[in-house]
Amino acid sequence: MLGTGSAFAKRYYNNNALLFSDGQTAMLDCGITAPMALHHLNKTFNDIHALVISHIHADHVGGMEEFAFQMKFVFKRSVPLFVPAPLIDPLWETTLKGGLMQEEFQSLDDYFDVRPLQEGLSCEILPGLAVRPIRTKHIAGKPSYSYLVNGTFFYSADMKFDADLLHTLVDEGCQVIFHDCQLKPPGAVHTTLDQLLSLPSALQERIWLMHYDDTMPHYEGKTGAMRFVEQHRVYSF
Ligand SMILES: O=c1ccn([C@@H]2O[C@H](COP(=O)(O)O)[C@@H](O)[C@H]2O)c(=O)[nH]1
Ligand SMILES: [Zn+2]
Ligand SMILES: [Zn+2]
């Protein structure tokens, strides 16, 4: 995990992940703190072979301008950018265009090798690593996606509580769930710890909590059968 913090966390980097497969690395979300988090792991954007985006909030895409510029002018290669089709236009028009547009570069394709993802369809982004975008509820009127990885690992990114989805995923073979967790209610746009604690223990055992605020240490031992994802730790499933 590059970071495990909420949008406003200061003790933790933004909730972004690196996925390793077959000697290559994909980045899942690239927030404001991603360049510094990579640096602290002695990595650069040149170590990234694919980028996947969940939704347009700065803690998930705020590092993309630097990513784009570094690949264009420093490393001189175009990284595959896997992005759900409905996000492509707003990602450029509402977030990146202001910094990246210049006379000779007028679109996202001038910086990234854009690969549209279709909701519900699995796509191999690295050898041995396939992601399936699942549209989930986060902010009204704002497309946002969670990902099922290789059919067995669910990464919520940012989503409101959806117990039915979690039960369905497990029924269909999902083994591990990395879920965003708002420690204190109300969970206006996220899932709260209390909501996750309402799930049966057998389901909680598969859940790891991420996207938490700076008070996380106070909640150690108060999360039922669920565990906290730790920043900069590598998990193998
Ligand atoms: O309707 C809203 C929209 C946003 N917020 C707050 O902002 C952050 C947005 O960042 P996320 O990465 O989606 O967390 C969210 O956590 C809320 O704290 C809100 O409260 N209501
Ligand atoms: Zn977020
Ligand atoms: Zn968000």
Side-chain angles (χ1 to χ4, degrees):
M1 292 301 296
L2 266 186
T4 52
S6 67
F8 308 148
K10 300 296 175 277
R11 297 176 52 160
Y12 310 104
Y13 291 110
N14 295 155
N15 200 134
N16 305 161
L18 297 179
L19 307 175
F20 305 112
S21 179
D22 200 33
Q24 296 194 25
T25 304
M27 181 184 282
L28 207 174
D29 283 338
C30 180
I32 301 167
T33 64
M36 189 62 82
L38 276 176
H39 180 70
H40 278 204
L41 293 175
N42 291 316
K43 293 178 184 291
T44 72
F45 283 115
N46 202 33
D47 294 310
I48 308 301
H49 303 93
L51 173 61
V52 187
I53 294 304
S54 66
H55 68 295
I56 302 175
H57 269 157
D59 55 323
H60 301 267
V61 297
M64 283 187 70
E65 179 176 312
E66 178 171 340
F67 195 163
F69 277 142
Q70 288 222 23
M71 296 320 292
K72 172 68 76 183
F73 299 110
V74 179
F75 301 114
K76 303 183 195 305
R77 77 183 166 86
S78 180
V79 170
L81 168 61
F82 294 90
V83 53
L87 294 184
I88 295 174
D89 190 57
L91 179 59
W92 175 257
E93 292 294 334
T94 68
T95 294
L96 296 175
K97 185 177 178 180
L100 292 177
M101 196 195 66
Q102 49 194 79
E103 199 172 34
E104 64 276 49
F105 309 128
Q106 299 275 340
S107 80
L108 203 53
D109 302 285
D110 290 319
Y111 289 95
F112 292 98
D113 173 11
V114 180
R115 315 273 186 94
L117 294 172
Q118 304 303 326
E119 189 187 350
L121 289 186
S122 200
C123 175
E124 188 169 62
I125 62 168
L126 292 180
L129 188 73
V131 300
R132 172 156 74 89
I134 300 171
R135 186 158 171 166
T136 42
K137 289 198 173 82
H138 178 36
I139 305 271
K142 187 177 193 63
S144 188
Y145 297 82
S146 304
Y147 284 97
L148 184 63
V149 181
N150 285 349
T152 58
F153 171 65
F154 179 74
Y155 185 94
S156 70
D158 292 2
M159 63 178 270
K160 292 190 195 176
F161 189 50
D162 187 344
D164 289 344
L165 174 63
L166 300 179
H167 282 288
T168 301
L169 287 166
V170 169
D171 289 346
E172 292 177 354
C174 179
Q175 301 291 322
V176 177
I177 293 167
F178 273 26
H179 209 299
D180 58 313
C181 177
Q182 185 161 319
L183 297 168
K184 276 185 244 101
V189 298
H190 284 280
T191 300
T192 64
L193 175 58
D194 288 342
Q195 288 171 321
L196 291 167
L197 282 168
S198 74
L199 294 168
S201 292
L203 186 43
Q204 288 186 29
E205 282 166 12
R206 295 173 193 255
I207 296 177
W208 295 70
L209 308 172
M210 59 182 189
H211 207 291
Y212 42 76
D213 67 44
D214 288 340
T215 67
M216 183 276 270
H218 300 298
Y219 291 83
E220 298 272 18
K222 299 175 183 168
T223 59
M226 300 176 286
R227 291 157 280 186
F228 284 111
V229 184
E230 288 175 41
Q231 171 168 292
H232 293 178
R233 186 167 158 195
V234 177
Y235 296 84
S236 301
F237 300 115

